[in-house]
Amino acid sequence: MKKVICFHLYNDYSGSPKVLSLVVRGLVEKGYSVELYTSNTDGFLIGLEGVVYHQFRYNWTKNKIITLLWLLYAQMYMFFSSLKYMHEKDTLFYVNTICPVGAVFSAVLCNIPVIYHVHEKYVNPNILHRFYELVWRWFSTKTIFVSKYLQKQYFKRNMNSVVVYNALSDDFLNNVKVKEHRCKPYNILMICSLKHYKGVHIFVELAKRLPQYRFTLIVNGSQDDTTAFFSNISTNLTIYPAQKRVFDFLYQADLLLNLSIPSLWIETFGLTLLEAMSYGVPVISPPAGGPVELVENDYNGFLVDSRDIEAVIEKIIYIFESGEYERLSKNAKSKSLLFDRVDMINKIEAQIKEI
């Protein structure tokens, strides 16, 4: 396979387009001809060198009917546009997340193999999510999962699948600087979507309960969305909208939190955890899903259920006040080095060659 056609429904600054941008760059470096179908929105998939772009209009709105119409348009665009590959040899469709079903239906008609790169598991899937999953199970040639946890959730006997852990880009790693001296007040960082199930309200409550620390929250939303969502926040909490570059925030952080609520959302990997660890920053994350494969209790952080806010507070204070911070920091850095970009791309290329 020398031509890889990639599909991603909605380009933004979340984890799945960030990982796809890394995959695309890696395949281009290896000499593959890469084309990319995605929305014409701002995000990590903009400006990738050596890539042929096919962009379509798609965005979320507060009006569900309008959003559904945009979704139908995006799926139809991917379906009809990708029919042109019907007579091309050595071509493969690379579908990022289970959402771009329009491309998959085109692949079926064109007899083109499909690799799915699956990042998510919906705790409470709606009808649309169930349809996406059904199409994926029927028509995928091979599936790449981002964690053993995610593979286990979906695995069936006849499923051809492999686990390939996410990694960090060279661009990211080249900007990593580990802070030599930590100064009070310590800074606690969280980077997440502007969703209730991500535990943003818990983060706000922690800031109120722990006035001796600084809290920084970066949410994947606009400034208007952020302003409308929050009210009555404490003075030690600063909130930022989506950021394309988070290097300075990670450098200034002394601890990173992931407060996803397990009953509502289970993290399947936890890319922000890995990013923080590369800076030597200990982490606290849920004791469920992909983070269990990244975080070891009292080694590079702690696994704590965010619904037990007293337990979260206890671990925060322990990390900063027990005298164990340097050990946790060094272990976090060491753990991050196990997730290598070259190894990730080589494993993905091996799947392509196998097909």
Side-chain angles (χ1 to χ4, degrees):
M1 302 294 175
K2 292 306 291 184
K3 177 176 281 189
V4 179
I5 317 299
C6 300
F7 299 88
H8 183 82
L9 183 60
Y10 184 65
N11 180 32
D12 62 3
Y13 291 109
S14 60
S16 57
K18 178 182 283 189
V19 173
L20 181 59
S21 71
L22 186 59
V23 173
V24 168
R25 288 192 183 101
L27 293 178
V28 169
E29 289 172 3
K30 285 181 171 289
Y32 287 83
S33 173
V34 180
E35 299 185 25
L36 174 60
Y37 288 76
T38 190
S39 63
N40 61 351
T41 48
D42 197 18
F44 287 115
L45 295 174
I46 292 295
L48 301 179
E49 295 183 4
V51 178
V52 176
Y53 277 90
H54 306 276
Q55 294 179 297
F56 49 82
R57 293 188 65 187
Y58 173 66
N59 213 331
W60 290 323
T61 71
K62 294 181 180 179
N63 188 310
K64 292 184 178 180
I65 295 177
I66 294 176
T67 301
L68 179 60
L69 291 174
W70 279 122
L71 175 62
L72 291 173
Y73 167 77
Q75 300 288 9
M76 295 294 285
Y77 180 93
M78 287 186 285
F79 172 76
F80 286 109
S81 297
S82 56
L83 288 174
K84 65 184 179 183
Y85 304 106
M86 181 176 294
H87 302 295
E88 294 193 19
K89 297 180 180 180
D90 298 329
T91 299
L92 175 141
F93 281 10
Y94 195 99
V95 176
N96 198 48
T97 79
I98 63 174
C99 300
V101 292
V104 179
F105 290 137
S106 175
V108 173
L109 290 178
C110 298
N111 195 29
I112 294 174
V114 179
I115 285 183
Y116 266 88
H117 198 151
V118 179
H119 302 259
E120 68 284 300
K121 170 66 176 176
Y122 297 101
V123 175
N124 298 304
N126 58 32
I127 293 175
L128 192 59
H129 297 149
R130 293 182 188 277
F131 175 66
Y132 291 160
E133 183 176 335
L134 190 63
V135 173
W136 159 48
R137 288 187 181 278
W138 278 352
F139 300 121
S140 65
T141 308
K142 175 161 286 191
T143 298
I144 295 172
F145 291 107
V146 298
S147 65
K148 293 177 182 177
Y149 160 78
L150 189 58
Q151 184 186 47
K152 186 177 180 180
Q153 298 306 301
Y154 284 122
F155 184 76
K156 301 294 181 183
R157 282 187 179 180
N158 61 344
M159 179 179 285
N160 189 355
S161 68
V162 65
V163 174
V164 178
Y165 286 120
N166 295 332
L168 302 175
S169 68
D170 289 341
D171 176 62
F172 184 94
L173 294 174
N174 289 338
N175 283 277
V176 170
K177 295 183 295 183
V178 177
K179 192 189 296 183
E180 295 183 2
H181 303 287
R182 305 280 171 175
C183 302
K184 295 183 178 181
Y186 298 118
N187 183 27
I188 301 172
L189 174 67
M190 187 163 84
I191 305 172
C192 65
S193 301
L194 190 57
K195 303 291 184 181
H196 173 79
Y197 58 73
K198 288 291 189 175
V200 289
H201 61 291
I202 300 173
F203 192 79
V204 172
E205 179 62 22
L206 287 171
K208 293 178 181 178
R209 298 273 296 272
L210 296 169
Q212 67 270 40
Y213 305 128
R214 291 189 295 119
F215 287 76
T216 302
L217 176 62
I218 302 174
V219 291
N220 188 18
S222 67
Q223 184 65 61
D224 290 341
D225 292 338
T226 303
T227 302
F229 192 90
F230 296 99
S231 61
N232 191 30
I233 63 173
S234 54
T235 56
N236 63 328
L237 169 60
T238 306
I239 301 173
Y240 296 90
Q243 303 288 314
K244 186 173 184 178
R245 298 170 67 87
V246 295
F247 305 121
D248 290 341
F249 293 97
L250 289 168
Y251 179 74
Q252 295 298 329
D254 301 300
L255 172 66
L256 183 123
L257 303 186
N258 182 313
L259 300 174
S260 294
I261 302 171
S263 59
L264 302 176
W265 180 265
I266 296 181
E267 299 290 345
T268 53
F269 182 75
L271 191 58
T272 57
L273 300 174
L274 182 58
E275 291 175 340
M277 288 190 291
S278 71
Y279 276 78
V281 175
V283 298
I284 292 177
S285 68
V292 175
E293 297 166 48
L294 295 173
V295 184
E296 301 176 53
N297 275 320
D298 203 24
Y299 176 76
N300 57 344
F302 289 94
L303 297 165
V304 186
D305 192 324
S306 62
R307 292 169 294 185
D308 187 352
I309 194 169
E310 298 300 332
V312 177
I313 291 174
E314 177 187 340
K315 295 305 180 187
I316 291 174
I317 294 175
Y318 173 85
I319 288 171
F320 289 138
E321 311 298 341
S322 65
E324 297 293 325
Y325 188 90
E326 290 304 317
R327 176 180 63 83
L328 294 169
S329 174
K330 289 179 180 178
N331 291 341
K333 179 65 177 180
S334 297
K335 185 75 172 183
S336 73
L337 298 177
L338 299 178
F339 297 83
D340 181 69
R341 181 194 76 91
V342 174
D343 183 55
M344 172 190 170
I345 300 302
N346 285 342
K347 287 179 178 178
I348 290 176
E349 185 188 24
Q351 306 311 309
I352 293 173
K353 287 182 174 180
E354 185 177 302
I355 291 175

